[in-house]
Amino acid sequence: MLQHLITQNEDLRMIPTDHDQLATAVDEIREGLRALPAGTDADRTRVLARWIGIGLLSLGNYHDARAFLRQALDLATSGGNTRAVITTELNLGDAYRYAGEAETAHVLYRQALDTAQSQHPELADFALQHFGKHLMEQGDLVLARAHLREAWRLRIAKGDPGLIESTQAALDRVELLIASS
């Protein structure tokens, strides 16, 4: 929904490709969320809230991002959608990590990884990638490398060049940090 307006910076964090365009797009999605009629499918509300949260996160508005991502997580949980719980926990973890709240981020990443490994192994690479980047920022470089290597292995098996490239960038970064420590 907003992927084309979001990229990663040198610290492997989401940032806008164009700040004004992303802000406008987020505002449009917010209006769409507000305009939903009563009784709208909870999944539609969840998806819109999640993308608003991701957009706000990329724009640096961590407080509001967390509110929308929490709403999306609550809807995913109440709807029993464990795939959406995993992906939203990862996004919410990012919102806490970007805001410097590492302990809360750690808990969310751990929950997402545990659930992915036990219930949705096809999402394990995403959880490992997010958790690995968190661990890297926290200075646990050996464990970060292990998580990222496993994510890389799983992504090679998936055969998605974009995912492989993303993980390779994170691995390169952690290897550089290890070499310089």
Side-chain angles (χ1 to χ4, degrees), residues 58-133:
S58 301
L59 291 165
N61 187 339
Y62 309 133
H63 177 76
D64 287 349
R66 287 191 307 250
F68 280 98
L69 291 167
R70 179 62 62 192
Q71 177 187 4
L73 181 57
D74 291 346
L75 288 166
T77 301
S78 66
N81 185 338
T82 54
R83 286 181 58 85
V85 167
I86 293 165
T87 57
T88 308
E89 281 178 337
L90 294 172
N91 299 137
L92 188 56
D94 287 347
Y96 279 100
R97 175 169 56 103
Y98 289 18
E101 297 181 41
E103 289 179 29
T104 303
H106 191 92
V107 169
L108 288 160
Y109 292 135
R110 175 86 263 158
Q111 287 172 187
L113 179 58
D114 290 346
T115 305
Q117 289 175 325
S118 66
Q119 297 180 38
H120 293 285
E122 72 279 7
L123 297 176
D125 60 311
F126 290 100
L128 286 160
Q129 172 101 354
H130 284 258
F131 204 1
K133 290 195 301 188

Side-chain angles (χ1 to χ4, degrees), residues 1-8 14-18 22 25-26 29 47 50-51 54-55 58:
M1 189 173 280
L2 296 173
Q3 297 94 320
H4 64 290
L5 295 173
I6 299 171
T7 190
Q8 290 187 3
M14 292 184 290
I15 59 167
T17 56
D18 181 294
L22 181 57
V26 168
I29 298 171
V47 167
R50 179 173 174 249
W51 277 106
I54 292 169
S58 301

